[in-house]
Amino acid sequence: MTIIILSLLVFASAAAYMAAIYLKKAKWIYVLKPGTMLLIIGVALIDLQGAGKYGILIVFGLLFSLAGDLFLMLPTDRFLEGLISFFIAHVIYAAAFMAEWSQKLDDLNVLIWLMLALLALLFFRLLLNGVKEKGGRAMVVAVSLYITVISVMTGMSFLSSQGFVIAAALFFYLSDATLAWDRFKSSLKYRDYMVMSTYFLAQFLFAVSVYLF
């Protein structure tokens, strides 16, 4: 019952956040963005004792994601600090999948990894000029490493054999790709809605996946 109530609160908070974006209510946005993440972390914490190593790692991944959110919300441009926080979160998520994966690397998984590698290279090439222009060499290195780690995290998710985990990783990938495209390539009209809806859903699915292992 507790998980159902918390899950409903997560979706209510996320919907309120979207409304705050539409209404341009800055104070609501500052409260609801981290507030929604705290509720999601609460979902993962309900039965953490029984979740083992996987659950503990997922919670740490969620906490570093929350830190990334806070950096990106600051009035000053703290994009690099936010990027580092999310980089750590992806490393932790990948470690969680390694701790619990149930599939061996077969031909299908090799194909998925190759597709992700090609997608990462293509996407980075499309962003490269914008990254150089807006952040210089340091940002090029940071973005290349970030694209690598989120691709690895997504690839690792397929070895978990859990639909919730795979969906969470793919939604996270989509959210970050949308944000990067808007920042470094071309402005997207509905960026905030696309980025945050997929982001909240990804994190919620990660939190729920704690109960699958």
Side-chain angles (χ1 to χ4, degrees):
M1 182 61 72
T2 305
I3 191 172
I4 294 174
I5 293 172
L6 264 180
S7 297
L8 291 173
L9 288 174
V10 167
F11 283 100
S13 182
Y17 177 81
M18 299 301 169
I21 294 174
Y22 179 77
L23 297 171
K24 299 180 179 179
K25 300 289 187 180
K27 290 182 180 179
W28 293 10
I29 290 171
Y30 275 94
V31 171
L32 290 167
K33 187 177 183 182
T36 303
M37 275 302 296
L38 286 171
L39 288 169
I40 290 171
I41 292 169
V43 170
L45 287 173
I46 291 173
D47 189 29
L48 187 60
Q49 191 172 6
K53 184 177 179 181
Y54 177 86
I56 293 171
L57 288 170
I58 289 296
V59 169
F60 274 105
L62 291 170
L63 288 170
F64 273 98
S65 296
L66 175 58
D69 287 334
L70 294 175
F71 277 122
L72 294 179
M73 288 175 64
L74 294 175
T76 54
D77 188 357
R78 306 298 292 272
F79 183 79
L80 188 57
E81 290 85 349
L83 201 70
I84 292 169
S85 297
F86 281 113
F87 181 95
I88 295 170
H90 290 311
V91 170
I92 294 172
Y93 286 144
F97 306 153
M98 286 180 65
E100 294 291 346
W101 73 29
S102 61
Q103 288 188 4
K104 294 182 179 179
L105 198 62
D106 55 20
D107 290 344
L108 177 59
N109 285 315
V110 170
L111 179 60
I112 289 169
W113 277 82
L114 287 174
M115 289 175 62
L116 285 169
L118 289 173
L119 180 61
L121 288 171
L122 175 61
F123 192 64
F124 181 68
R125 182 66 188 87
L126 291 171
L127 296 180
L128 184 56
N129 290 336
V131 175
K132 285 181 180 178
E133 180 184 337
K134 295 191 176 181
R137 189 171 298 177
M139 188 63 75
V140 169
V141 172
V143 171
S144 64
L145 289 173
Y146 188 83
I147 291 175
T148 299
V149 77
I150 195 171
S151 298
V152 169
M153 184 276 291
T154 304
M156 296 291 292
S157 73
F158 282 89
L159 296 176
S160 71
S161 76
Q162 296 291 342
F164 273 38
V165 174
I166 295 169
L170 290 173
F171 278 123
F172 213 142
Y173 197 104
L174 177 59
S175 176
D176 281 354
T178 303
L179 180 62
W181 187 270
D182 177 85
R183 185 177 180 89
F184 298 117
K185 186 66 177 177
S186 178
S187 228
L188 299 172
K189 184 176 181 181
Y190 299 108
R191 178 202 66 179
D192 291 335
Y193 302 104
M194 292 186 290
V195 169
M196 294 310 300
S197 60
T198 49
Y199 173 73
F200 284 144
L201 184 55
Q203 300 287 31
F204 176 73
L205 290 174
F206 277 141
V208 172
S209 74
V210 167
Y211 305 99
L212 302 177
F213 290 97

